[in-house]
Amino acid sequence: MQKLTSFDKKCFELAIDTAKKTFKHRNFPVGAVLVIDNKIIDVAGNEIKKEKSYANHAENMLIYKNAKLLHKAHNQNKIIKLYSTLEPCIQCLGISVTNRVSQIFFIQKDPHGGACDIKHDNIGVWYKKRWPKIIHCPYTDEPKQLMITFFHQEIKNGHIRWPKIMLKLLK
C-alpha cells in the first residue's frame, strides 16, 4: 500500500466528509478533492440525483468548476492531484486525463464501474503521454460502509436492481 502523508490523509478525510454530506442529500456518497501543488483548491460531491445528470460525478464536478485553473496549472508544470473516496469511472478518468491531472488517489475500488485498471497502452499516443499515476489507497472502509448504507436505503425507497447488484459486488 502507498505510504500516505499527513496531507494525503487530510485530503481523504475532506473527501469522506464531503461524501457524508452528499449522502445526507440522498446522492450517491462520493466525495473528491482537487489539489494543485499540495494546495487544496476545491471539494465536490456526487450530484447525479440533485442535477438529474449522470455527468455530475464528484470528480467531474471538480474539473468542470476548475477547468481554467487546471489549464493554467498544467501550463505552469504544476502537480495536479485528485483524491476520491471511490475509484473513478471511465468518464471521470477520461476527464482527468484530458485535463492533465497528474495523480489520482482513491480509497474504495468500484467493482461495478471503476476504470482505473484500464490498460492504457491500447489507446492513442496522446493519452499514453498524459496518463496520470493512479494510486489505490485503502485508507479506511468508511466509504464502503457509506455506500452499503446508501444502497440499503435505495432498496427501502423502491430502487431495487442496481443497489442489489452493488451490495453483492461490495461483499
Side-chain angles (χ1 to χ4, degrees):
M1 183 171 100
Q2 169 87 16
K3 176 120 171 97
L4 297 178
T5 67
S6 59
F7 182 77
D8 294 330
K9 291 175 184 176
K10 178 181 177 180
C11 292
F12 276 139
E13 289 301 324
L14 189 53
I16 291 167
D17 288 345
T18 304
K20 289 176 183 175
K21 288 176 188 168
T22 64
F23 174 78
K24 286 180 184 174
H25 291 98
R26 299 178 144 179
N27 279 293
F28 186 59
V30 176
V33 176
L34 181 65
V35 171
I36 298 176
D37 275 355
N38 287 324
K39 181 181 176 212
I40 296 171
I41 302 302
D42 203 358
V43 299
N46 184 303
E47 294 187 4
I48 290 173
K49 284 189 172 186
K50 176 183 171 192
E51 298 297 331
K52 307 286 188 253
S53 169
Y54 293 113
N56 287 358
H57 292 190
E59 302 90 341
N60 284 351
M61 302 293 289
L62 281 176
I63 292 173
Y64 293 152
K65 286 174 27 184
N66 296 284
K68 289 180 183 178
L69 185 60
L70 290 171
H71 187 269
K72 182 179 176 182
H74 168 72
N75 287 336
Q76 294 173 342
N77 294 316
K78 293 185 176 187
I79 303 295
I80 303 166
K81 297 179 183 178
L82 182 65
Y83 292 82
S84 182
T85 57
L86 184 65
E87 177 182 8
C89 69
I90 197 157
Q91 76 174 321
C92 295
L93 179 59
I95 198 170
S96 296
V97 173
T98 57
N99 283 275
R100 313 313 205 284
V101 170
S102 314
Q103 299 174 2
I104 298 171
F105 297 80
F106 68 93
I107 300 172
Q108 176 63 45
K109 293 283 284 175
D110 182 351
H112 188 259
C116 289
D117 288 334
I118 287 177
K119 301 271 188 252
H120 63 279
D121 51 342
N122 294 330
I123 58 178
V125 174
W126 187 91
Y127 295 98
K128 287 183 207 178
K129 288 181 181 179
R130 287 160 183 84
W131 204 260
K133 181 177 181 182
I134 301 171
I135 303 135
H136 174 217
C137 304
Y139 169 63
T140 176
D141 74 338
E142 207 168 352
K144 180 179 180 177
Q145 296 309 316
L146 265 174
M147 288 189 296
I148 289 170
T149 303
F150 173 82
F151 292 127
H152 282 295
Q153 285 184 354
E154 286 291 289
I155 291 169
K156 285 180 186 174
N157 292 332
H159 307 113
I160 309 287
R161 197 171 127 289
W162 180 57
K164 280 191 170 184
I165 291 169
M166 286 302 293
L167 287 169
K168 190 175 184 179
L169 290 172
L170 286 169
K171 285 187 179 186

